[in-house]
Each structure stands twice: as C-alpha cells, then as structure tokens.
Amino acid sequence: MRQSVKQVFLGPEGAGMFTKLATLRTIEESGAVLIVRLPDADIAERVAHAAIEGGFRALEITLSIPGAVDLVRRLDARYASDGVAVGAGTVLDGHAAYECIRAGARFLVSPQLNPEMIRVANRYQVPTISGAFTPTELLESAEAGADILKLFPTEGAGIPYAKAVLAPLAHLPIMPAGGVTTGNVAEWFAAGVAGVGVGSAVTKAWQPDGDFARVTAAAHDFLAAVRDARR
C-alpha cells in the first residue's frame, strides 16, 4: 500500500516536525551520499544493503534503475527508523518528484537546475540537491531554493575546478558528484566542498567476483577516509 504524503513525514506516531532538518543533518554529519546507479534493481538493492552495513546513512537511488520508486519505498520502510536517509536521484520533473516523495524519498537529486522539482520538494519540505556546473548555474540553483548544490559533472574538471569555483562562492554548500575516491577525497574537502557524492568506487566493488562484502568493505573504507579528511 502506498503511504500518503502525511504518513511519509509524520510517521506512524505522528511525530517528526523537523524531518527536513533531520535529513540535512544526516547528510552533513555523514559528509557523503552514495549514488546508486546500476542497470538492475536486484543488484542495486543488494548494493544498498551492503553499503548501509558498511556505514552509509545517505543513499541516492537513481530513477534510471528499473523499479527505482519501489526500491526507494522498500529501503525507506526498512531503514528510516535506523536514521538512514534514502533519496531519489535523476528527478527530472515535478511529477517524478511527487511520486518519489509519496514513496518515502527523504531527499531529491537532479542533474541540472530543475525549478519544478525544487518547488514540489519545498512544498512538502523535502531537501533537494540540485545539479549545476558553472558559477551562474550554482547561484541560480541556490536562488531557486536548492538546499545543496551538486557540482556535476566533475570527472573532467576535477578538484582544481572545484577549488576555483569555491574561491568566490565559499558560502555555498557544494557537493561534487563523480570522480571522488578514497584516495582523493581529502583533496576534495581541502578544496572546500561541503560533502561528496560517490558512486562506482563503492557500488561496483562487488564486480570482480560477485562478493557484496566487498561493497561493505569499500563503504567502510570510504567513510573512514571522509572522517579523516574532515578532522
């Protein structure tokens, strides 16, 4: 059965006035969001379970995964009481935003400035992570009401670009997505980012031999590197 929007935010006991603040606090304290973008829903679910076991508390389930909305619903039902924020990514319009919110998504992510997504999310007090690349796009996303600005894509531009952008825009909560690894995460934080999004370095760790314990180990190692980088 689908949850109503009221049930999503108030929960079975009717508590939780500051759900949005709690989700943002979870992301801030974690310092990292795991981006789960895989072609198979079953694999994505196994990866999510393994990564949560490894310590992740904020996961983005991209809508490119078949059955992604149902996966968000299952993961939220299982882990919300443990303080895990399961969000939805690749949210491209207001309809998708509302469906994800109804499924229990604790935050929404877009690859670009999407005012409609931000407007729907703000209406129901769900945090947004809005994709942007140039200084203009970053500022326009902030002005549109995004809570966190996803610097995307970053594989090519990398850390030097993030550092250059943050020099005049240090007040913005910028989170790179792409190209972040255990080996370079300290450099990203040294450049001034507020947090990082990580994908393949953790989500594909199982591929050499199909052992999902590798995902748990990769998650643990990545989060340890984040904690060390933020000290």
Side-chain angles (χ1 to χ4, degrees), residues 79-165:
Y79 292 110
S81 61
D82 297 327
V84 176
V86 178
T90 320
V91 180
L92 301 179
D93 53 55
H95 174 75
Y98 183 71
E99 286 302 306
C100 291
I101 291 169
R102 287 194 66 187
R106 301 289 159 165
F107 60 94
L108 303 180
V109 186
S110 64
Q112 89 295 8
L113 171 56
N114 186 335
E116 188 181 6
M117 180 201 77
I118 294 171
R119 189 160 48 247
V120 172
N122 284 339
R123 183 178 301 145
Y124 296 106
Q125 288 298 283
V126 173
T128 53
I129 302 177
S130 175
F133 186 72
T134 67
T136 297
E137 292 169 351
L138 289 164
L139 282 171
E140 288 180 347
S141 296
E143 291 167 357
D147 297 291
I148 298 170
L149 308 176
K150 177 172 106 172
L151 189 63
F152 175 82
T154 52
E155 286 90 347
I159 297 165
Y161 180 74
K163 188 173 182 179
V165 167

Side-chain angles (χ1 to χ4, degrees), residues 25-115:
R25 187 176 300 114
T26 294
I27 295 172
E28 192 279 330
E29 290 176 352
S30 299
V33 173
L34 181 67
I35 304 164
V36 182
R37 184 186 298 277
L38 295 164
D40 181 89
D42 291 336
I43 295 294
E45 187 161 5
R46 293 184 69 181
V47 164
H49 291 316
I52 290 169
E53 184 178 348
F56 268 95
R57 292 295 174 266
L59 293 85
E60 172 193 341
I61 307 299
T62 68
L63 295 187
S64 58
I65 300 170
V69 175
D70 288 333
L71 178 54
V72 168
R73 183 180 291 109
R74 290 195 300 274
L75 292 173
D76 179 70
R78 177 163 177 177
Y79 292 110
S81 61
D82 297 327
V84 176
V86 178
T90 320
V91 180
L92 301 179
D93 53 55
H95 174 75
Y98 183 71
E99 286 302 306
C100 291
I101 291 169
R102 287 194 66 187
R106 301 289 159 165
F107 60 94
L108 303 180
V109 186
S110 64
Q112 89 295 8
L113 171 56
N114 186 335

